[in-house]
Amino acid sequence: MGCGASGKLPPRSPEAAQKDAKKTQAGSRENGLIYIIECEKNLEKNDKGSDGHRKDTMPICNAVKAQGWDCEVLYYTDKDYESLMTKVSKAEGYICRVNPGPYEGVTQEKLDTFLDTLESKGVKGMSSATTMKKMGAKDALVKI
Protein backbone atom coordinates (compact mmCIF):
# COMPACT_ATOMS: atom_id res chain seq x y z
CA MET A 1 0.00 0.00 0.00
CA GLY A 2 1.27 3.43 -0.94
CA CYS A 3 4.26 1.95 -2.74
CA GLY A 4 5.03 2.60 -6.38
CA ALA A 5 6.00 -0.03 -8.92
CA SER A 6 9.45 -0.23 -7.35
CA GLY A 7 7.98 -1.29 -4.01
CA LYS A 8 9.41 1.80 -2.28
CA LEU A 9 7.45 4.48 -0.49
CA PRO A 10 7.32 7.81 -2.33
CA PRO A 11 9.74 10.46 -0.98
CA ARG A 12 8.36 12.66 1.78
CA SER A 13 8.18 16.38 1.23
CA PRO A 14 10.50 18.58 3.31
CA GLU A 15 7.40 20.19 4.86
CA ALA A 16 6.08 16.80 6.02
CA ALA A 17 9.45 15.87 7.49
CA GLN A 18 9.68 19.21 9.31
CA LYS A 19 6.15 18.83 10.72
CA ASP A 20 6.95 15.31 11.95
CA ALA A 21 10.15 16.57 13.59
CA LYS A 22 8.16 19.26 15.42
CA LYS A 23 5.61 16.65 16.54
CA THR A 24 8.40 14.48 17.92
CA GLN A 25 10.04 17.44 19.67
CA ALA A 26 6.76 18.73 21.12
CA GLY A 27 5.22 15.39 22.02
CA SER A 28 1.96 14.24 20.54
CA ARG A 29 0.50 17.66 19.78
CA GLU A 30 0.18 18.60 16.14
CA ASN A 31 1.06 22.29 16.38
CA GLY A 32 4.05 22.35 18.72
CA LEU A 33 4.79 23.70 22.17
CA ILE A 34 3.70 26.86 23.98
CA TYR A 35 5.08 27.77 27.42
CA ILE A 36 3.21 29.85 29.96
CA ILE A 37 5.67 31.86 32.04
CA GLU A 38 4.90 32.87 35.61
CA CYS A 39 6.88 34.00 38.65
CA GLU A 40 6.33 32.17 41.89
CA LYS A 41 6.04 34.73 44.68
CA ASN A 42 4.89 38.32 44.29
CA LEU A 43 6.37 40.24 47.22
CA GLU A 44 3.59 42.84 47.35
CA LYS A 45 0.47 40.69 47.02
CA ASN A 46 -0.53 37.09 46.60
CA ASP A 47 -1.73 36.69 43.02
CA LYS A 48 -1.73 32.87 43.15
CA GLY A 49 -4.47 30.37 43.84
CA SER A 50 -4.16 27.25 45.97
CA ASP A 51 -2.55 25.41 43.02
CA GLY A 52 0.35 27.93 42.97
CA HIS A 53 -0.71 29.54 39.68
CA ARG A 54 -2.54 32.72 38.80
CA LYS A 55 -6.27 32.11 38.76
CA ASP A 56 -6.62 31.99 34.97
CA THR A 57 -3.33 30.28 34.08
CA MET A 58 -4.59 26.69 34.02
CA PRO A 59 -7.76 27.58 32.04
CA ILE A 60 -5.49 29.32 29.49
CA CYS A 61 -3.19 26.27 29.42
CA ASN A 62 -6.14 23.92 28.88
CA ALA A 63 -7.56 26.15 26.12
CA VAL A 64 -4.19 26.13 24.31
CA LYS A 65 -4.12 22.33 24.56
CA ALA A 66 -7.68 22.13 23.21
CA GLN A 67 -6.44 23.90 20.08
CA GLY A 68 -3.89 21.14 19.42
CA TRP A 69 -0.83 22.62 21.12
CA ASP A 70 1.29 21.16 23.87
CA CYS A 71 1.40 23.62 26.78
CA GLU A 72 3.45 23.76 29.97
CA VAL A 73 3.73 26.29 32.79
CA LEU A 74 7.22 27.43 33.83
CA TYR A 75 8.29 29.61 36.74
CA TYR A 76 10.88 32.24 35.80
CA THR A 77 13.69 33.24 38.17
CA ASP A 78 16.91 35.11 37.40
CA LYS A 79 18.83 32.07 38.68
CA ASP A 80 17.22 29.86 36.01
CA TYR A 81 17.63 32.39 33.16
CA GLU A 82 20.03 30.33 31.02
CA SER A 83 18.28 26.96 31.39
CA LEU A 84 14.88 28.53 30.72
CA MET A 85 16.26 30.42 27.71
CA THR A 86 17.51 27.14 26.24
CA LYS A 87 14.16 25.45 26.89
CA VAL A 88 11.80 28.21 25.76
CA SER A 89 13.91 29.06 22.68
CA LYS A 90 12.95 25.66 21.24
CA ALA A 91 9.20 26.30 21.59
CA GLU A 92 6.87 27.85 19.05
CA GLY A 93 5.77 30.49 21.53
CA TYR A 94 5.14 31.67 25.05
CA ILE A 95 2.50 33.49 27.06
CA CYS A 96 3.91 35.71 29.81
CA ARG A 97 1.67 35.77 32.89
CA VAL A 98 3.85 38.09 35.00
CA ASN A 99 2.46 41.42 36.15
CA PRO A 100 4.98 44.20 36.76
CA GLY A 101 6.09 44.23 40.36
CA PRO A 102 8.58 42.68 42.75
CA TYR A 103 8.92 38.89 42.76
CA GLU A 104 11.22 36.76 44.85
CA GLY A 105 14.38 35.98 42.88
CA VAL A 106 13.38 38.12 39.90
CA THR A 107 14.64 41.48 38.66
CA GLN A 108 12.37 43.24 36.18
CA GLU A 109 15.30 44.21 33.94
CA LYS A 110 16.49 40.61 33.60
CA LEU A 111 12.96 39.32 32.95
CA ASP A 112 12.51 42.02 30.29
CA THR A 113 15.78 40.98 28.66
CA PHE A 114 14.64 37.34 28.75
CA LEU A 115 11.37 38.13 26.94
CA ASP A 116 12.97 40.46 24.38
CA THR A 117 15.71 37.91 23.65
CA LEU A 118 13.11 35.22 22.99
CA GLU A 119 11.41 37.57 20.53
CA SER A 120 14.72 38.30 18.79
CA LYS A 121 15.24 34.54 18.41
CA GLY A 122 11.93 34.26 16.59
CA VAL A 123 9.88 32.76 19.41
CA LYS A 124 6.36 34.18 19.17
CA GLY A 125 5.43 35.82 22.42
CA MET A 126 2.51 37.30 24.19
CA SER A 127 3.89 39.72 25.07
CA SER A 128 7.47 40.86 24.77
CA ALA A 129 8.78 43.27 27.37
CA THR A 130 8.96 46.02 24.75
CA THR A 131 5.29 45.52 23.85
CA MET A 132 4.21 45.48 27.49
CA LYS A 133 6.11 48.71 28.16
CA LYS A 134 4.54 50.41 25.14
CA MET A 135 0.97 49.26 25.80
CA GLY A 136 0.90 48.44 29.48
CA ALA A 137 0.65 44.83 30.63
CA LYS A 138 -3.10 44.83 31.22
CA ASP A 139 -3.91 46.61 27.95
CA ALA A 140 -1.74 44.39 25.72
CA LEU A 141 -4.48 41.79 25.25
CA VAL A 142 -7.05 44.39 24.26
CA LYS A 143 -4.79 46.30 21.87
CA ILE A 144 -3.39 43.29 19.98
Side-chain angles (χ1 to χ4, degrees):
M1 289 182 51
C3 296
S6 67
K8 295 181 181 174
L9 290 172
R12 296 179 62 226
S13 71
E15 293 82 17
Q18 186 176 23
K19 189 171 183 179
D20 285 347
K22 278 191 175 185
K23 281 184 188 178
T24 301
Q25 179 184 14
S28 62
R29 300 296 179 156
E30 66 185 61
N31 295 319
L33 177 61
I34 304 290
Y35 284 110
I36 297 177
I37 300 169
E38 290 190 333
C39 291
E40 244 175 307
K41 187 174 180 187
N42 186 314
L43 297 175
E44 290 181 346
K45 61 181 177 181
N46 182 10
D47 63 347
K48 307 291 186 273
S50 60
D51 64 356
H53 300 293
R54 292 184 61 190
K55 184 174 135 182
D56 50 358
T57 293
M58 294 318 294
I60 291 169
C61 185
N62 292 332
V64 169
K65 288 178 179 181
Q67 294 300 312
W69 295 86
D70 200 7
C71 190
E72 296 178 28
V73 180
L74 299 174
Y75 288 110
Y76 172 86
T77 64
D78 292 349
K79 178 183 68 137
D80 298 323
Y81 181 99
E82 292 299 327
S83 63
L84 291 174
M85 181 61 70
T86 300
K87 191 173 196 168
V88 180
S89 292
K90 295 175 184 172
E92 279 66 40
Y94 70 86
I95 301 168
C96 183
R97 303 285 303 130
V98 180
N99 280 331
Y103 291 87
E104 191 171 289
V106 177
T107 56
Q108 189 67 50
E109 183 178 343
K110 193 145 185 175
L111 175 60
D112 291 349
T113 300
F114 179 78
L115 298 175
D116 286 338
T117 302
L118 287 170
E119 181 180 55
S120 73
K121 290 181 177 224
V123 180
K124 302 296 182 200
M126 190 174 156
S127 301
S128 70
T130 301
T131 301
M132 285 189 274
K133 286 177 190 170
K134 285 180 185 174
M135 295 188 199
K138 297 269 187 208
D139 294 337
L141 290 173
V142 175
K143 293 179 181 177
I144 290 180

